[in-house]
Amino acid sequence: MGPVALPAWLQPRYRKTAYLFIYYLIQFCGHSWILTNMTVRFFSFGKDSMVDTFYAIGLVMRLCQSISLLELLHIYVGIESNHLFPRFLQLTERIVILFVVITSQEEIQEKYVVCVLFIFWNLLDMARYTYSMLSVIGTYYSILTWLSQTLWMPIYPLCVLAEAFAIYQSLPYFESFGTYSTKLPFDFSIYFPYVLRLYLMMLFIGMYFTYSHLYSERRDVLRVFSIKKKKI
C-alpha cells in the first residue's frame, strides 16, 4: 500500500503560504484601523485630535509593532525572503522610538511629532503589507507593486527626521526625570541622554544602509515584475 497523499492545505508549502497570508492580513487590518481612526478623528476634531493621538491609538500601534518582530524570525527560518540586517535596522528604529522614547515620556506623547510619525509609519505599512499579502498568493497589480516599492523613497527619510526630532524633544525630559539613567558599581553610571545622543548619530548611519538596501530591492522587484508582465 503506497503512501497517502496529504491534502493540499496540509502540505508544508501551503501551510507557509497560509501562515504568511494571515500574518500580513492581521497587520493590514491593524494599520487600516489606525489610519482610519486617525483620519476620522482629524475630520471630527481637527488639530485637537493630533495631541491625543497616542492615547487613542497607541495601544494598537504598539501591538502591531510588537507583532512585526516576528518578521525577523520569518527571515531567519527562511519562510520570508529578505535580508535580516536591514529589516532589523528598520524594526529597531520603531521599537526604540515607540517604546523607549514615546511610551516612557508622557510629555512626548502629546507632541505633534507623534501624530506625524504614526501617519508616516502607517502609509508605508499599508502599502507594504497590502503588496505582501497579495503577492504571497500570487496576485500582483502594477500600481500596487510600483507604490510599495516607491512610496518609501520620499517618506522613509522623513520618518527618520521625525524620529530624530522626537528624540531631540525627549532629551530635556530624560535629563529632568532621569529615566533609564542608573548608577552601577565602581562609580560607573549610565546617563541615558548620552545614550540617546549616540543613538541619534547611529540613526542616520542606519538610514544610509537601509535606504541603499531598499533601493536595490526596488530595482530587483520592478525588474522581475517587468519580466513577468512581458511573459503574460
Side-chain angles (χ1 to χ4, degrees):
M1 187 175 179
V4 178
L6 290 173
W9 62 274
L10 283 177
Q11 295 178 11
R13 180 166 64 90
Y14 289 98
R15 284 183 299 188
K16 183 185 86 168
T17 299
Y19 167 76
L20 287 176
F21 180 83
I22 293 172
Y23 169 78
Y24 293 137
L25 178 61
I26 291 173
Q27 288 282 26
F28 170 79
C29 291
H31 288 287
S32 297
W33 183 89
I34 292 173
L35 196 59
T36 302
N37 189 292
M38 292 180 67
T39 303
V40 172
R41 283 171 49 78
F42 180 78
F43 283 109
S44 300
F45 306 109
K47 289 185 178 180
D48 293 338
S49 66
M50 301 177 68
V51 177
D52 61 350
T53 295
F54 185 82
Y55 301 102
I57 63 175
L59 178 61
V60 179
M61 176 61 81
R62 281 177 286 176
L63 181 62
C64 288
Q65 296 304 322
S66 297
I67 295 174
S68 68
L69 292 174
L70 285 172
E71 294 174 26
L72 297 178
L73 180 63
H74 296 168
I75 298 171
Y76 181 75
V77 301
I79 64 174
E80 186 177 342
S81 57
N82 210 325
H83 291 85
L84 184 61
F85 185 64
R87 191 70 190 125
F88 172 78
L89 289 178
Q90 294 175 63
L91 290 175
T92 301
E93 288 177 15
R94 297 191 182 188
I95 294 299
V96 169
I97 298 300
L98 183 58
F99 288 92
V100 177
V101 176
I102 298 176
T103 302
S104 67
Q105 300 297 332
E106 189 173 348
E107 291 77 9
I108 294 297
Q109 297 168 12
E110 300 175 352
K111 303 291 186 182
Y112 287 152
V113 69
V114 175
C115 181
V116 172
L117 265 178
F118 283 10
I119 291 173
F120 286 158
W121 287 350
N122 272 276
L123 287 175
L124 291 176
D125 287 339
M126 283 288 293
R128 185 168 69 89
Y129 287 122
T130 304
Y131 168 78
S132 298
M133 179 176 61
L134 294 177
S135 65
V136 80
I137 58 174
T139 303
Y140 299 92
Y141 295 100
S142 300
I143 185 64
L144 182 59
T145 301
W146 181 87
L147 186 65
S148 67
Q149 299 299 323
T150 307
L151 186 63
W152 62 267
M153 296 181 75
I155 292 183
Y156 177 63
L158 294 176
C159 277
V160 175
L161 288 175
E163 290 166 0
F165 188 66
I167 293 175
Y168 174 77
Q169 286 192 313
S170 72
L171 286 174
Y173 302 108
F174 280 105
E175 291 172 354
S176 299
F177 302 134
T179 310
Y180 300 132
S181 295
T182 183
K183 289 185 177 180
L184 300 176
F186 307 108
D187 295 328
F188 184 76
S189 62
I190 296 177
Y191 187 56
F192 196 70
Y194 289 162
V195 177
L196 281 180
R197 289 187 178 95
L198 178 61
Y199 179 74
L200 198 56
M201 292 186 292
M202 294 173 60
L203 189 64
F204 289 99
I205 297 174
M207 183 185 73
Y208 170 77
F209 287 105
T210 302
Y211 201 95
S212 300
H213 166 72
L214 290 175
Y215 186 80
S216 298
E217 184 180 66
R218 177 183 186 271
R219 181 186 56 207
D220 295 339
V221 170
L222 293 182
R223 183 176 66 245
V224 171
F225 181 76
S226 177
I227 295 173
K228 288 182 179 180
K229 194 173 180 181
K230 288 179 181 179
K231 289 183 179 180
I232 295 175

